[in-house]
Amino acid sequence: MSKLPRISGRECIRAFEKIGFRVVRQKGSHIVVRRDNPLAQTVVPDHKELAPGTLRRIIRDAGLSVEEFLALL
């Protein structure tokens, strides 16, 4: 299992935007990002630092592996 870096919610969203995700909406500190082809949607909290388990779940919901996500950073 790869070690995840400590990144913010905004950094996570910037990485997802590189592969076609876009911000759909935001309510409070929760930002919903979506990609249409192939369909994937996930919620990213706008926190200064994401917990490792939270980040791992966001990556899984986006349909990526940890290694693919690390290459986007």
Side-chain angles (χ1 to χ4, degrees), residues 21-40:
F21 280 85
R22 59 181 163 57
V23 174
V24 177
R25 65 183 177 273
Q26 178 174 355
K27 185 171 184 179
S29 67
H30 290 83
I31 302 169
V32 178
V33 293
R34 180 182 182 141
R35 177 180 64 194
D36 291 327
N37 194 10
L39 181 63

Side-chain angles (χ1 to χ4, degrees), residues 14-62:
R14 277 195 296 271
F16 283 146
E17 286 175 339
K18 293 177 183 177
I19 56 170
F21 280 85
R22 59 181 163 57
V23 174
V24 177
R25 65 183 177 273
Q26 178 174 355
K27 185 171 184 179
S29 67
H30 290 83
I31 302 169
V32 178
V33 293
R34 180 182 182 141
R35 177 180 64 194
D36 291 327
N37 194 10
L39 181 63
Q41 180 172 305
T42 188
V43 178
V44 180
D46 189 16
H47 296 164
K48 289 182 182 179
E49 189 175 285
L50 297 175
T54 303
L55 181 57
R56 193 172 298 278
R57 182 59 193 214
I58 291 168
I59 293 168
R60 189 179 315 128
D61 288 345

